[in-house]
Amino acid sequence: MTRIPEFHAAKWNEPVVMEMGRPGARGQLFPAPEDEVTQAVGSDLIPGAMARKDRAALPEITEFEAQRHYLHLSQMTLGMMGISLFGTCTMKYNSKTAEYATLRPELAAVHPYQHPDTLQGVLEIIHEFDRILCSLSGMDQFIFQAGGGADAAYTMAAVARAYWDDRGLLDQRTEMVTSVQAHPCNPATAAAAGFKVVNLPLEENGYPSLEALKAAVSDRTALIMINNPDDMGIYNPEIKEWVRVAKEAGALCFYDHANFNGVMGKLSARELGFDACMFMLHKTFGAPKAGGGPAVGAYGCSDELAPYLPCPVVVKEGDRYRLDEDRPKSAGKVREYWGNVPQVVKAYAWARAMGAEGIQLASDISVVANNYMDRKLAEIPGLEISNPGIDAYRMEMTRWSLGPLTEETGVTTVDFANRMADYGIDPYWMSHEPWIVAEPFTPEAGELWSKEDIDTWIGVIAQIAEEARSDPEMVKTAPHNQAIAQVKGDAFEDPGKWAMTWRAYQRKILGDESARGVA
Amino acid sequence: MFDPNRAHPWMANSAPGSLRAMLDEIGAGSVEEVFAQIPEDHFRKAPLDLPPTLSSEIALRRDLVGKLKKNADCEANLSFLGAGVWQHHVPAIVDEIVGRTEFATNVWGSYQSDHGRNQAWFEFSSQLGALLNLDVVQLPVYSWGCATGHAMRMAQRITGRAKVLVPQLSDPERLSVIRTYCQPSAMQSHIEVVLVAADPTTGRLDLGDLQAKLGDDVAAVYFENPEYLGTIETEAAEIARLARAAGAETIVGVDPISLGVMTAPGDYGADIVTGPVQPLGVHMQCGGGAGGFIASRDEEKYVLEYNGFLVSIVETLEEGQVGFGLACPHQNSYGSREHGKDWTGNSTYLWAIAGAVYMSLLGPEGFREVGTLIVSRARYAAKCLGEVPGVRIVWPDTSFKEFVVNFDDTGKTVGEINDLLRARGIFGGKDISDEENALGQSALYCVTELHTAADIRHLCTTLKEVL
């Protein structure tokens, strides 16, 4: 018997912090400047024009009230503490051992401009982790400056600019070729870096054809950016040929390894011919993503591209580590400093705790579990797998469609996601744009969740599918057991109604220009 | 070593029999069969060469802590480093809240299932808006430099112009990021970065040079307040007026911890404001605490150019109830791919929650107190250091928390002096001698609320000993 959770979220009717408190209440006191300080320098030290006259309209609350308020907000956040098979993001356990290690002053209270002699421990971890990623990918050098997967894609675009500029061909190599189902960050970062984007359409096998690629690449192509497998769970078996074709045209080849979980230890980006790749440490490598960062897009490349890497690069000389800032061909920085270092430490911890065998087992489990999930989902009427004509085991995630159920009941994939939370199940990921199938959702079982968790998850999907038929209005107005009812979307695109701060809300909605927000 | 007979604590289905049970359910004879999509010659040939597995928590912790202890840190030493990463006090409550597993885990739920996270995000923007006196604050991007790069590209799209004016005395780290965002000159959408001279007597922007360069081809004037080398920009309103007269946007980078005592940029004509979030309750973390905000007035010409997440307070289906969600979602790269405004992705949103907690703890009086404390002690430090023989404060009495200390008359380089200080448990200011500033052997010193008068005297005494 599948367990279906009974659940009700915490519901505190918590005020916005701007409404809380009372005049004069304090949550944090600071010392007064010492007498010797005041005697030496006096007061009123900010020049007149820059001395703040008004009192910032911030809440005035006690330390406990701040603690309780934000604890209440955390309690009103399901945050993966249900069951989250959130495809494309690879839900993992985030080690608290690693988390606590990074909170020690030996990392938390370290400044990136300290002398390298005082940074040997953290540099050693970064270097060792670089070696681990080089082994997993076959690349020669990784850097961690990029603040997420999209930023690593941007790093690739910046490196490609420097590479072509160095050859005097940057005005000619102006195009980036990708697939229409590549993650949006690939075309978006290439465009923001100044490249023209060429999107290849999908064909009947589920991926763009080799012929389309051949037609698209030329001496104008600066690079191709591609993921494999894709979010449908389909692996492009022509990828080696793709790389060959692109390289024949002179283009650089970038492997977006966002979907690495199913092929960890099985594929080497370099052996497939790629020049560069990226890993997301905040998903595949067990560092927490924190609802949107701090994250790390680890960017790795061949020796041929290494001179163009953003600085600094951590290098080992003898038994010492240092930061190499002297790289004349460097593309320039994509972000200040060397990266979200605590996340690198956590990813290093993940790799050490998993080991080579554990990493390979994790990819086995994630792919087998996904296919188990597919098998069970296929038994639910109204659901349809993407590319139904392809009869093959999928990789670590699969795109599904609620299209038939929506046609029958009017209940959409958004309604479905909203209703899931009523059972204490985290809403699933639907799909990146563009939606290739109707009413999509994209579950990914991963190696974290147990078979029982997966069964519960599927049981809830089946239950909501039944509810969609028996009481569609109830599903369409979901959720019903959450901290709040369904959010109305009409204000999001309405300049008269959107309010991104309490100030704006007071002015536009509450109609109170002078309200200070302190009750 | 990894023991295949023991289940891994992080993988439920590594328990004996689990994998086999699922293979049976899907009718597969082996794991290899499930990977049949991948052609045989795609599988890697080179064996994985990874260090030994640390299979127990005890072994893992020992390795991590053992390595990290090889670092020397700014708690065990007395540090005067700043320049974009600053040692400020992080209230304990901030650490508790950002460590909450619901906030720290991977997922990105719905507006309802993750209501608390969305509210905390809105409260970050609301409180920062109250410090800036601006109505729109986006969730933070990767860093201050990235925020400024995006802001300049916003200005390019708004004005249709492709030149930005930037202080010559800019942080080279931030400027490198800005140049990356502005693209090399070969690109069609390149933005030309033109440097504006500083007044050598104050470190402030040279208004004559600014006016000379401020033509009708300028998309934006960027300056910081305080400037990179610590000077408070007293002519901010005049700079904004000149920019507006030329049809350019005014982008100002501000340090949010200064805003209890310094005028809100919304009050002196800033159009777009950027800045670091790290001072608002985020540990330095070797630079891993970086994050950058972007803010503006609530006008469509700005709002429709933001690249990332704008969290709006909205109604719900329940009468009188409010919730939170993303405004203008179709303009970001998730919604519009290459046609979106620049790009977005995972960023530094946990630091928005840290900032929300931090600002709520300080309140208006906390910001006033911490600002007063910092500027008082920084000026005191400058005064004391200026009395050390051979040491000169380049621009006395103009700083907030950072100031330039010149060592030319000591006969020693900053590198040599910092080595001598480090041997005595002091991290001297950032060596800026190699930067393009014509300031000789100089260092940028940072003093915050954590540096007591006794710490400052200790620095000066030690300097006298080693010089």
Side-chain angles (χ1 to χ4, degrees), chain A residues 36 52 79 97 110-111 113-114 124 135 192 199 266 271 333 336-337 348 433 493 501 507-508, chain B residues 44-45 54 57 63 70 72 85 105 131 135 142-143 145 173 180 183 286 298 330 337-338 380 457:
Chain A
E36 65 185 276
R52 187 162 188 142
T97 313
V110 165
H111 194 290
Y113 291 154
Q114 284 177 215
E124 180 183 355
S135 178
N199 287 301
K266 296 186 168 59
E271 288 184 23
K333 295 175 191 294
E336 297 95 305
Y337 321 114
Y348 163 83
E433 298 287 340
E493 314 255 12
T501 55
R507 175 172 57 79
K508 293 161 82 167
Chain B
R44 60 181 296 148
K45 311 272 183 303
L54 300 169
E57 182 168 358
D63 180 83
K70 296 177 191 170
V85 178
T105 47
L131 284 169
D135 277 357
Y142 307 120
S143 69
E173 185 102 31
T180 300
Q183 305 181 354
C286 210
D298 187 0
H330 300 299
R337 298 175 74 87
E338 68 268 29
Y380 177 68
R457 277 187 273 108

Side-chain angles (χ1 to χ4, degrees), chain B residues 2-22:
Chain B
F2 182 82
D3 177 357
N5 297 311
R6 288 203 302 181
H8 195 287
W10 300 349
M11 295 192 277
N13 290 323
S14 65
S18 289
L19 200 52
R20 184 69 257 167
M22 291 191 294

Side-chain angles (χ1 to χ4, degrees), chain A residues 85 107 113 137 174 246 302-303 305-306 330 347 374 376 388 400 434 444 483:
Chain A
L85 308 188
L107 190 63
Y113 291 154
S137 64
T174 55
S302 64
D303 278 334
L305 288 183
S330 168
D374 280 348
K376 296 288 178 187
W400 280 80
E444 177 178 350

